[in-house]
Amino acid sequence: MALLVAAAAVALPLTAAGVRSLALLAVGLAGLAATAAALWWTFARHGPARAAATGLAVLLPLVVLLHYAAVGLLWVVLSALALWIAAALIGRAALGGDVARTRPRQYPAAPPKAPFLIMNPSSGHGKVGRYDLVAKARALGAEVAVLDPAHPQDVMELARRAVARGADLLGVAGGDGTQALVAGVAARHELPFVVICAGTRNHFAMDLGLDRSDPSTGLDALTDGVELRVDLGAIGERVFVNNASFGVYATVVQSPAYRDDKVRTILRELPDLLTHQIGPRLTVHAGQAVIDAPQGVLVSNNPYHLGDAAGLGRRARLDSGLLGVFGITVDNAAQAAGLLRGHHARGLTALTAREVVVDADVGDIPVGVDGEAVRLPTPVICRITPGALRVRVPRHRPGVPRSSGTVDWRALGRLAWQK
């Protein structure tokens, strides 16, 4: 069905416009490339040049649509696009749509006798209170430490003290940054770790297959849980469960003005950062590969699925024993337009390695570690420890959500042929 609908998406413009369908495609691609170039100028320029580029980025798509309408073929283009979307949706359903085909092995786990949970009531716009997580956890026999947003506490120290008192399981209801800090303590003491989805995005929980719509279901791991062995990334002594970011993003978020006025701060600092007029010049070594002067680098605990249209949203697995490396190098409008090729673009680099070294022309650089802004001395060395973390998860959980990424048409063809 997916292949038939895709064929219809090709046949419709050929039937309705004949040879002119090639011109329609050329106009659309040219419009996309020009719009991407205009967006680059928008972010890489100040003043009147930025205003002009912003106007072009808005105007160019409208010009393309008006051209289609003028030749009486706008309905053809929109119908073909709708068919392509339908074909992709059907194709993902046919292939199972799940990027995490290989999941960590599950081990049986007895309920803990002295679980210790740290809960941040300000995470996720108050999910801890909204789902009554403190009372529910205490009813299951857990000791709960509720953080006071007005008086920051050292969560690692809280976890270490709990271990010294005899805690046999550690857990966090909070964001990924807090999860990572306590997970490091759990890994060092070889204790199981529980993730409660009380943060805003909960990327780590998503890749574990937990139910992010109801954080209280994560507490089922205390009574009816199984254990997974997953990898942990590390920068020196600091652990990360998701990723560490370097370059433009890490620099912008550490600006003192960022928290008060995010948009204005980004627009003010991006041009000089993108054109290397300010900020550190990075060099990344991943195995034998070198990425020179990238504007942005993401080092992840296991590789992200690059075909995900949601934007590096999911990891196929958490136990591959490899770091994922994603770098972007864009120095001009032409390279910005080339990003439309996706992971085939020259400005995008995707690698895997067990160790990644990020060096710079300065003594220390800003780094975002699971969303937490820090500064680290160079060179920054990222490593991965396979199977370092024992994660306790509910026996019954939704699983990793389906990918929203691109469809493997070759795999669809093979599947159709076999049928």
Side-chain angles (χ1 to χ4, degrees):
M1 180 66 72
L3 295 176
L4 287 173
V5 175
V10 175
L12 177 60
L14 288 174
T15 303
V19 177
R20 286 190 300 166
S21 62
L22 297 177
L24 293 177
L25 179 62
V27 169
L29 293 176
L32 281 174
T35 301
L39 288 172
W40 164 259
W41 289 323
T42 296
F43 293 120
R45 297 289 186 271
H46 290 286
R50 168 178 284 170
T54 303
L56 277 175
V58 174
L59 186 61
L60 285 169
L62 295 176
V63 170
V64 172
L65 292 176
L66 287 173
H67 170 74
Y68 290 155
V71 297
L73 295 173
L74 179 59
W75 71 271
V76 174
V77 174
L78 295 179
S79 299
L81 179 61
L83 287 170
W84 270 117
I85 293 172
L89 292 173
I90 298 169
R92 282 198 293 272
L95 292 173
D98 192 346
V99 299
R101 305 306 298 175
T102 303
R103 301 185 181 182
R105 181 180 175 183
Q106 295 186 167
Y107 298 90
K113 296 180 179 178
F116 176 78
L117 304 180
I118 296 174
M119 297 194 179
N120 186 350
S122 63
S123 290
H125 306 289
K127 288 182 179 178
V128 167
R130 196 158 64 247
Y131 290 90
D132 198 20
L133 297 181
V134 175
K136 290 178 179 178
R138 287 173 174 165
L140 294 174
E143 179 185 351
V144 181
V146 182
L147 302 180
D148 183 355
H151 300 88
Q153 294 172 273
D154 185 339
V155 295
M156 295 177 66
E157 183 60 25
L158 287 175
R160 285 192 287 262
R161 290 176 183 175
V163 173
R165 293 195 303 269
D168 60 355
L169 177 145
L170 299 177
V172 171
D176 287 325
T178 308
Q179 300 276 2
L181 293 174
V182 180
V185 177
R188 278 191 286 276
H189 291 277
E190 297 186 351
L191 293 178
F193 179 69
V194 165
V195 176
I196 310 297
C197 312
T200 302
R201 297 179 180 86
N202 301 298
H203 289 301
F204 188 45
M206 175 178 66
D207 291 333
L208 288 170
L210 301 180
D211 184 355
R212 295 186 298 164
S213 66
D214 184 358
S216 65
T217 60
L219 295 172
D220 292 343
L222 302 180
T223 56
D224 185 22
V226 293
E227 199 165 284
L228 312 177
R229 280 277 187 174
V230 303
D231 307 333
L232 277 181
I235 299 178
E237 296 298 316
R238 190 182 182 105
V239 164
F240 59 93
V241 294
N242 290 327
N243 57 63
S245 60
F246 303 82
V248 170
Y249 173 75
T251 302
V252 169
V253 298
Q254 295 204 21
S255 170
Y258 178 77
R259 293 191 180 275
D260 296 328
D261 194 342
K262 293 181 175 60
V263 174
R264 185 173 298 179
T265 303
I266 290 171
L267 292 176
R268 183 180 66 247
E269 298 195 10
L270 266 184
D272 294 335
L273 288 170
L274 291 175
T275 55
H276 300 291
Q277 294 182 41
I278 63 171
R281 183 183 179 90
L282 303 178
T283 303
V284 181
H285 298 268
Q288 301 300 314
V290 178
I291 309 174
D292 186 46
Q295 279 99 340
V297 177
L298 193 76
V299 179
S300 58
N301 173 26
N302 284 259
Y304 282 105
H305 178 59
L306 295 182
D308 193 337
L312 301 179
R314 301 178 180 109
R315 287 165 287 185
R317 54 190 299 181
L318 293 170
D319 62 344
S320 70
L322 293 171
L323 295 168
V325 184
F326 187 74
I328 180 168
T329 305
V330 181
D331 294 321
N332 52 56
Q335 290 182 355
L339 293 178
L340 293 172
R341 297 180 60 199
H343 60 275
H344 297 294
R346 292 180 60 185
L348 297 179
T349 303
L351 305 166
T352 58
R354 295 188 182 277
E355 180 178 285
V356 177
V357 180
V358 181
D359 208 347
D361 57 355
V362 293
D364 62 86
I365 57 175
V367 186
V369 184
D370 280 338
E372 301 292 329
V374 298
R375 293 194 71 91
L376 297 174
T378 56
V380 179
I381 301 175
C382 305
R383 296 188 175 91
I384 192 165
T385 305
L389 183 63
R390 298 166 57 192
V391 181
R392 190 74 57 85
V393 296
R395 185 182 306 276
H396 304 290
R397 56 195 188 280
V400 178
R402 290 184 174 184
S403 168
S404 58
T406 55
V407 174
D408 187 340
W409 294 102
R410 291 184 179 180
L412 272 179
R414 290 193 296 268
L415 181 62
W417 181 258
Q418 292 170 1
K419 296 295 184 180

